Amino acid sequence: MNSATASAEKPRVPRHVAIVMDGNGRWAERRHRPRSFGHREGQKALRATVEYCLRKEIRALTLFAFSSENWKRPAGEVGALMQLFLKALDREVDELHGYGVRIEFIGDLSAFSTELRERMHKAMDKTRDNTALFANVAVNYGGRWDIAEAARRAAMAVARGELAVDSINEESLAAYFSLAGQPPVDLFIRTGGEQRISNFLLWQLAYAELVFVDTLWPDVDASILDNAIDVFASRERRFGQTSAQVASNSAQGAA
C-alpha cells in the first residue's frame, strides 16, 4: 500500500472536540442517590475522555462544566460542584501536566470564590507551555457572553488605537474570543439525550458536526466516543462547496 492510499483510508479524526457533559443528575436519581453523586461519577468519564483524546492525538478538547445558567440550580448542588472543582484541581493537575496537557478555564471567573480562582490560575500557569492537548474547561460560561466579551475587547483595542474599525471582520474578531489560537471546533457532542446547544460556543460551532447521544455522561466510555468520531468521519464536510468540488479537492490533495 502506498502512502497516498494509506492517507486516503485513514479515518478522519477531529482536531477539536467540544462536549456538553449532560446527565450526571439523572444518572444519580435513577440510582436513588444525590445529584452530587452523579457529578462525582461524571469526573471519571471526564478523566477517561481526556486520556482518549491524548491517545487519538486530538489537539483540543472543550468541556462545558458549568454554564452561566447553572447558578439557578439548588444551592446545595452548586456548592457540591464548587467543592468538586477544588478537589479535582488538587488531585488531577500534576498528572495532567505530566501528560503534557494544557489546562485553560474559559468563562467569567470573577463569580467564583477567591480560593477557587487562585487554584484555576495556578493550574493554567503551571500547564501553559504544554502542547499535547488543549483541555478547555468552560465554567460560568455562555456563548452569548463570549460574543459580547469579544466585542468589548475589540472595542477597547479600537479605543487604544490598536485596531482600526474598518479592519474588523470575522477573522480579526476571532482573535478576541475565549478559544483564540486553537483549532476550530470540528465535532460537538452532547450526551444525555437532549438535542440543543444550550448557549455553548455559539461562534465556534458554526461549522462543527453535531452528534447527540442518549448515554448519560457518567456512562460515556471509549466506545461511545469512537461511535461519535465514526459519525464525524462519515459526514461530508463541504463548507459551502458542492460534493463534486469536495471530491475534486480530495483527489488533487491525494495526487
Side-chain angles (χ1 to χ4, degrees):
M1 180 183 296
N2 60 41
S3 59
T5 302
S7 175
E9 293 181 354
K10 183 179 180 180
R12 291 185 298 148
V13 175
R15 294 165 297 171
H16 191 159
V17 177
I19 304 178
V20 173
M21 304 177 292
D22 198 9
N24 290 334
R26 282 175 286 156
W27 187 92
E29 289 169 353
R30 290 177 185 180
R31 290 160 177 78
H32 308 288
R33 301 294 297 273
R35 289 174 63 87
S36 59
F37 178 72
H39 293 305
R40 287 197 297 273
E41 290 299 306
Q43 285 192 330
K44 298 177 183 178
L46 189 157
R47 177 60 180 273
T49 299
V50 170
E51 294 174 354
Y52 178 91
C53 290
L54 286 167
R55 291 195 304 273
K56 293 290 186 178
E57 298 182 348
I58 291 168
R59 294 287 299 118
L61 171 67
T62 301
L63 300 160
F64 209 1
F66 191 83
S67 77
S68 52
E69 288 81 14
N70 285 155
W71 294 108
K72 301 173 186 176
R73 292 190 175 189
E77 183 177 349
V78 172
L81 277 169
M82 296 303 107
Q83 289 302 311
L84 280 175
F85 287 158
L86 285 169
K87 291 178 181 179
L89 286 168
D90 288 340
R91 185 175 61 246
E92 303 288 353
V93 171
D94 286 343
E95 191 165 359
L96 292 175
H97 178 53
Y99 290 148
V101 176
R102 175 175 172 172
I103 300 170
E104 198 73 37
F105 291 95
I106 63 171
D108 182 3
L109 305 187
S110 66
F112 296 108
S113 69
T114 299
E115 180 184 18
L116 186 50
R117 288 200 311 272
E118 287 177 350
R119 295 198 199 181
M120 288 178 179
H121 286 293
K122 184 177 179 181
M124 290 190 285
D125 290 341
K126 183 169 189 173
T127 62
R128 192 162 302 281
D129 295 329
N130 293 341
T131 59
L133 174 69
F134 288 99
N136 308 298
V137 184
V139 287
N140 195 29
Y141 174 91
R144 291 176 176 176
W145 169 88
D146 203 359
I147 293 171
E149 185 69 5
R152 186 185 68 84
R153 292 176 181 174
M156 291 175 64
V158 170
R160 292 191 300 265
E162 299 170 358
L163 179 67
V165 171
D166 290 344
S167 70
I168 296 177
N169 53 30
E170 290 184 24
E171 183 177 358
S172 63
L173 189 60
Y176 297 95
F177 279 85
S178 295
L179 299 179
Q182 298 189 31
V185 177
D186 293 316
L187 172 61
F188 166 90
I189 302 170
R190 180 168 187 152
T191 65
E194 304 289 355
Q195 298 191 10
R196 54 179 176 268
I197 295 172
S198 293
N199 196 24
F200 183 43
L201 301 178
L202 298 181
W203 174 278
Q204 296 89 344
L205 292 181
Y207 283 100
E209 298 298 324
L210 310 184
V211 175
F212 300 98
V213 299
D214 292 331
T215 306
L216 301 177
W217 175 248
D219 289 329
V220 168
D221 57 17
S223 67
I224 300 295
L225 297 173
D226 279 339
N227 288 338
I229 288 181
D230 286 345
V231 171
F232 167 82
S234 71
R235 292 181 180 171
E236 182 181 69
R237 308 190 75 205
R238 297 192 296 273
F239 299 100
Q241 296 180 321
T242 66
S243 296
Q245 286 175 305
V246 171
S248 176
N249 292 337
S250 298
Q252 291 175 9

